[in-house]
Amino acid sequence: MSLMISVSGIRGIVGESLTPKNLTAFAMAFASWILRRKDDRTKRPRIVIGRDTRPTGKAIGDLVSNVLVLCGCDVIDLDIATTPTVEIAVTSECADGGLIITASHNPVAWNALKMLNHLGEFLTATEVDELLAIADREQFCPAGWDHIGAITHDDRYDDLHIEKILQLSFVDTAAIAKEQFRVLVDCVEGAGYAVVPKLCRKLGMEHIVPVACGGSGLFPRNPEPIEENLSATIAGLKVSGCDFAIVVDPDVDRLALICEDGTLFGEEYTLVACADFYLKKHSGAVANNLSSSRALRDIAGRYGVECYSAKVGEANVIELMKEKSVVIGGEGNGGIILPELHYGRDALVGIALFVQAFTHWRTTNPNGSLSAFRKEFPDYVMSKQKTTLGKTDRSSLENILTDIALQYPEAESSALDGLKLDFSSSWVHLRPSNTEPIIRIYSEAPSKEEAEALADTLKRDIEKRTQGHE
């Protein structure tokens, strides 16, 4: 397994592709990149660090922090913190950058360095290329013995993050409290284990049933918050008698909701519901990525605003949101980006938006269930599949995708990010993953059968060419 490098960070299996050697090299490259971009060279660069709860996180965090110090940087260590919390801390501290030690939804054997610029945002593709050039040429800038930095620790940012959310104009804690929601919260033993239940209570939800909220970092299931991994959570919800369940991934940038009857609200519909509510109060364009549901476009149409789609990847979506002055956006994996708070996927602000949206709907639908609320939105079904790249390198993949596009002249095709084929009532998106050596195959149609059939067809098309299948 090779190291995965993208706008999503430097990611790999600890002890195999993610080693002390390359962690040191990339930390030195990051410090050197920060230093080169710093206007005032008389002041030491300041870098915020946080991590999720994985057993390897502290050791990696200590290693990386000390490398940064030896490169002349001051480090502000938040210890365990969600990805969006670190993003907020970078700007609040007027820091020059940030590093988050987390492999997000990957299994526990994985870890990663997610890199932030001075805006608390993921590096763009161009910025990643600059950093990689420094690493490749070993153009590092270590500090002399008398110019090394220092490490300070700060445990305030969970509370500061929550306070910033509570101050948002749309938040009405009294209205939420009036509903007396009973909520199951599943944090998969990740970085949200304390902050998510605390936020829920601050929002007015006093009746919390915590699941996997011990913070051990030993994930009790595959940590990606998708239906196939949530059977135990669904069973627990039904037993608990809760009104719904809130599920986050280990670094808390993705949000999934489970309805009272055990059905998933749908990770694609987290953004759809939040955007629908937010547009009632703030007019403006919305954005998602090319692998996200058409439902957001339909919601935008209700309010007479534009819906834009970017390449997959948080940095790509944010770049488009800034360019188009988008008021709310995100990705179809449950990632909400609200510029009013900050430019970053944030499950915590997603919880506030979603619960407020559900509360608002219940003013005209007293005691209505979450499954009934789900029916308020356009109904599409997605199929999310994947296949390995096999022996095909990524440079050859472009020609393969061009060849596949020619097979479907009736579809509107886009090569912005892999290959997307838009049909009259459905679409399919083929793209190499930024975080794994696979090709993701996402499709959407009015029914599950149609979506799966479309994905299956394109999966065979791609496997025939990448893996030599007949």
Side-chain angles (χ1 to χ4, degrees), residues 278-447:
Y278 197 72
L279 289 175
K280 288 178 170 66
K281 300 178 179 296
H282 299 81
S283 180
V286 299
N288 57 12
N289 67 37
L290 287 167
S291 283
S292 298
S293 175
R294 277 185 180 177
L296 184 65
R297 185 185 66 183
D298 294 349
I299 293 297
R302 289 182 185 178
Y303 295 92
V305 301
E306 291 289 337
C307 178
Y308 299 103
S309 294
K311 292 174 64 174
V312 173
E314 182 173 334
N316 299 319
V317 177
I318 288 171
E319 189 174 9
L320 179 66
M321 289 178 69
K322 289 182 173 182
E323 177 189 340
K324 302 295 186 181
S325 299
V326 166
V327 298
I328 186 170
E331 298 191 275
N333 57 11
I336 307 298
I337 302 171
L338 187 70
E340 184 183 349
L341 181 62
H342 70 119
Y343 278 104
R345 291 190 319 198
D346 188 337
L348 298 175
V349 80
I351 290 167
L353 269 166
F354 188 89
V355 174
Q356 200 72 64
F358 185 34
T359 298
H360 176 79
W361 176 77
R362 279 170 56 125
T363 60
T364 53
N365 299 271
N367 299 315
S369 66
L370 195 63
S371 58
F373 181 50
R374 171 62 179 81
K375 293 176 183 177
E376 295 291 315
F377 303 104
D379 198 18
Y380 297 104
V381 180
M382 290 189 74
S383 173
K384 297 186 177 184
Q385 301 187 28
K386 59 187 177 183
T387 185
T388 62
L389 273 168
K391 297 180 180 180
T392 304
D393 59 41
R394 296 201 178 200
S395 60
S396 302
L397 185 60
E398 185 176 336
N399 292 331
I400 291 172
L401 295 179
T402 299
D403 184 43
I404 290 175
L406 293 174
Q407 287 185 222
Y408 299 94
E410 72 277 22
E412 179 182 340
S413 66
S414 169
L416 176 64
D417 187 10
L419 172 65
K420 183 168 185 179
L421 298 173
D422 251 311
F423 299 91
S424 59
S425 61
S426 61
W427 58 263
V428 63
H429 190 195
L430 311 173
R431 58 172 294 274
S433 170
N434 289 329
T435 58
E436 301 173 72
I438 59 173
I439 299 171
R440 298 192 185 278
I441 305 165
Y442 287 8
S443 64
E444 184 176 66
S447 72

Side-chain angles (χ1 to χ4, degrees), residues 138-299:
E138 298 187 358
Q139 295 173 329
F140 306 132
C141 304
W145 69 271
D146 54 346
H147 287 89
I148 66 171
I151 300 173
T152 58
H153 298 271
D154 195 329
D155 61 2
R156 301 172 300 147
Y157 273 94
D158 277 3
D159 290 336
L160 289 173
H161 192 167
I162 289 173
E163 188 57 35
K164 284 179 178 289
I165 290 171
L166 295 177
Q167 290 173 357
L168 293 169
S169 59
F170 63 82
V171 173
D172 184 348
T173 57
I176 295 172
K178 187 177 178 181
E179 297 297 326
Q180 297 186 317
F181 290 127
R182 286 181 53 84
V183 184
L184 184 145
V185 173
D186 179 354
C187 293
V188 73
E189 298 292 342
Y193 76 97
V195 69
V196 172
K198 181 183 283 189
L199 171 67
C200 288
R201 292 187 176 96
K202 291 282 188 178
L203 285 169
M205 295 178 285
E206 291 293 333
H207 306 288
I208 303 295
V209 177
V211 171
C213 289
S216 71
L218 299 174
F219 310 142
R221 54 170 172 79
N222 185 311
E224 187 168 16
I226 56 177
E227 185 169 11
E228 64 193 71
N229 300 330
L230 296 176
S231 57
T233 309
I234 292 168
L237 172 65
K238 290 179 177 178
V239 170
S240 72
C242 287
D243 298 300
F244 57 94
I246 290 170
V247 185
V248 296
D249 66 336
D251 71 326
V252 197
D253 61 0
R254 292 173 60 175
L255 171 64
L257 290 306
I258 306 174
C259 301
E260 80 295 336
D261 60 359
T263 61
L264 265 69
F265 194 86
E267 59 178 346
E268 291 291 330
Y269 285 82
T270 303
L271 174 58
V272 172
C274 290
D276 177 64
F277 171 71
Y278 197 72
L279 289 175
K280 288 178 170 66
K281 300 178 179 296
H282 299 81
S283 180
V286 299
N288 57 12
N289 67 37
L290 287 167
S291 283
S292 298
S293 175
R294 277 185 180 177
L296 184 65
R297 185 185 66 183
D298 294 349
I299 293 297

